[in-house]
Amino acid sequence: MTEDKFVLPPLDTKYHCTNPDREMTLGQMLDGVDPDMWPTNEEMLETLLFCMDAE
């Protein structure tokens, strides 16, 4: 059984952040973050979205 390789969504993907009430792109959330620290699996992406109050 092989595991599918995780692919980060496009940086222009928009998410609704509830606090403050606004939209942000994934690129805005990752702005200033070293690319080596970007999410490399689904759990890390979900944690980032949780921390940003994004859905």
Side-chain angles (χ1 to χ4, degrees):
M1 180 195 252
T2 60
E3 188 175 324
D4 291 332
K5 182 170 172 54
F6 174 76
V7 176
L8 194 65
L11 295 180
D12 61 352
T13 303
K14 291 183 181 180
Y15 294 93
H16 179 78
C17 300
T18 57
N19 186 17
D21 189 22
R22 63 183 171 144
E23 281 193 344
M24 287 183 76
T25 65
L26 181 58
Q28 288 172 314
M29 292 180 205
L30 295 172
D31 186 40
V33 176
D34 185 329
D36 290 338
M37 301 299 293
W38 286 10
T40 56
N41 61 47
E42 189 68 34
E43 184 178 357
M44 289 175 71
L45 177 60
E46 289 174 7
T47 300
L48 171 67
L49 296 177
F50 175 79
C51 291
M52 298 296 289
D53 285 325
E55 40 187 52

